[in-house]
Structure formats: C-alpha cells, structure tokens
Amino acid sequence: MPRPTAKTDLVQQIEGNYSKLQNLIQELSIHEITGPNVTTKWTTKDVLAHLTEWTHMMLSWHGAGLRGNMPTMPAEGFNWRQIPALNQQIFEAHKDDDLEEVRAAFAMSYEEILELAKTLSEDELFERSHFDWTGNNNVATYLISASCSHYDWAYKRIKRTLRPGRRKKKAA
C-alpha cells in the first residue's frame, strides 16, 4: 500500500489497517493472544502494548511541540539507533499487564491518533518542518509510523506467529 500523501488517504489507512489488525485479533483464542508462540517471545498482547506505547510517544512529541518544547525523541535516554533497546524496555514494562487493560489502552490510543490525523490540516500533516519539533520531516511521517504502518507491521508479525493449520477460536 503506498504511503499516504493526502489527509483522506492517511485517515483511510489508519482506519483500514487498524480494522484489519482488530479482525485478526478477534479470530484468536485467549491462548493465542497471551500464550507463547512459535517465533518470538512477544505475545500478541505484547505487540498491542508496544503499539500503544509508540502511539503515546508520538502524541507526547506532538503535544510537547505544541507547547513550544523540543521533545526528546524517541524517548528519554534513547536515540534512534537504540530502538531495539527501547522496544525491549517497553516489553519489560508491559509483559505482565492485564490483557483487558492492554486492549482498552490500545483502542484508546487508536482513537487518539486517529483524532489527531483528522484534526490537523493538510498543510500541518504534510508540509515539511511545519512544526519545529519535526525537524526536516513532516508530522505525517511520525503519525504514519505510529499508526497505519505500525498496525500493518503488527498484523504481519502476528500472522507469522500463528501455527499453520491452527483452528480459529473466537477470543473471549
């Protein structure tokens, strides 16, 4: 799917990729969401917590920028070359979280980032350096990475972890 270059395309991709991911998750059993899988130590629940944290980071960067501050990106104590360590920290912080709390937080983070995408103008989204905090990028670059692109990554990652020929069981 091409990277969105217009607000309507961006909103459609956020909604579409979120819906695709949610539909996949709805097909999974509780064990498939929270239990060990064949390819990684991250469960589906861990992936959802990861998505939520990255959305919160992006929203906090934008909020700091609106207040006239330069956000620490990607997070305090980390630079962009240290993403694997940051992701590990996110995993460790949330691996024992309750599934329903993770699901609720993920749904809320989706609503928040979708609202931001809908609220910003075309120029605010796609004009390079429109916001000082984005440097030479546009805010859509960060918004896409924290939403539709990340949802697509999660969908593919979760699909890869499922055992071939598994029976579909509806999650409770």
Side-chain angles (χ1 to χ4, degrees):
M1 184 171 288
R3 190 169 184 83
T5 57
K7 180 176 178 171
T8 56
D9 295 337
L10 174 60
V11 169
Q12 286 176 346
Q13 277 195 31
I14 293 170
E15 292 173 332
N17 288 1
Y18 178 82
S19 179
K20 182 178 168 183
L21 176 58
Q22 286 291 50
N23 288 340
L24 172 63
I25 292 166
Q26 291 304 313
E27 295 176 0
L28 304 180
S29 69
I30 293 298
H31 179 74
E32 288 172 317
I33 294 172
T34 61
N37 59 62
V38 295
T39 60
T40 178
K41 67 180 177 179
W42 283 24
T43 66
T44 296
K45 179 185 71 97
D46 298 327
V47 170
L48 296 179
H50 170 88
L51 294 173
T52 302
E53 279 302 308
W54 275 95
T55 299
H56 288 162
M57 284 188 287
M58 189 277 156
L59 293 170
S60 74
W61 303 334
H62 185 67
L66 290 178
R67 291 186 301 278
N69 300 322
M70 191 58 73
T72 302
M73 296 174 16
E76 189 67 41
F78 294 92
N79 63 45
W80 291 109
R81 292 181 306 276
Q82 296 170 313
I83 296 301
L86 175 57
N87 287 339
Q88 182 63 31
Q89 180 177 294
I90 292 168
F91 169 76
E92 293 296 333
H94 295 284
K95 67 182 179 181
D96 296 323
D97 289 359
D98 175 74
L99 173 59
E100 292 313 312
E101 290 175 11
V102 169
R103 283 180 159 170
F106 176 56
M108 179 63 72
S109 71
Y110 161 73
E111 294 294 335
E112 291 169 340
I113 204 158
L114 179 62
E115 181 63 25
L116 178 60
K118 288 179 174 181
T119 302
L120 295 174
S121 71
E122 199 85 20
D123 287 344
E124 288 171 322
L125 285 165
F126 295 101
E127 183 180 279
R128 293 168 67 94
S129 304
H130 185 89
F131 296 102
D132 288 341
W133 72 268
T134 64
N136 198 31
N137 291 315
N138 60 39
V139 76
T141 298
Y142 298 101
L143 211 151
I144 290 165
S145 292
S147 62
C148 49
S149 174
H150 226 162
Y151 301 155
D152 186 54
W153 164 84
Y155 176 87
K156 291 172 183 172
R157 181 179 180 115
I158 293 166
K159 284 286 272 193
R160 261 193 333 264
T161 67
L162 299 175
R163 288 176 175 77
R166 72 163 182 69
R167 287 185 4 208
K168 289 185 180 180
K169 296 178 189 172
K170 190 83 169 159

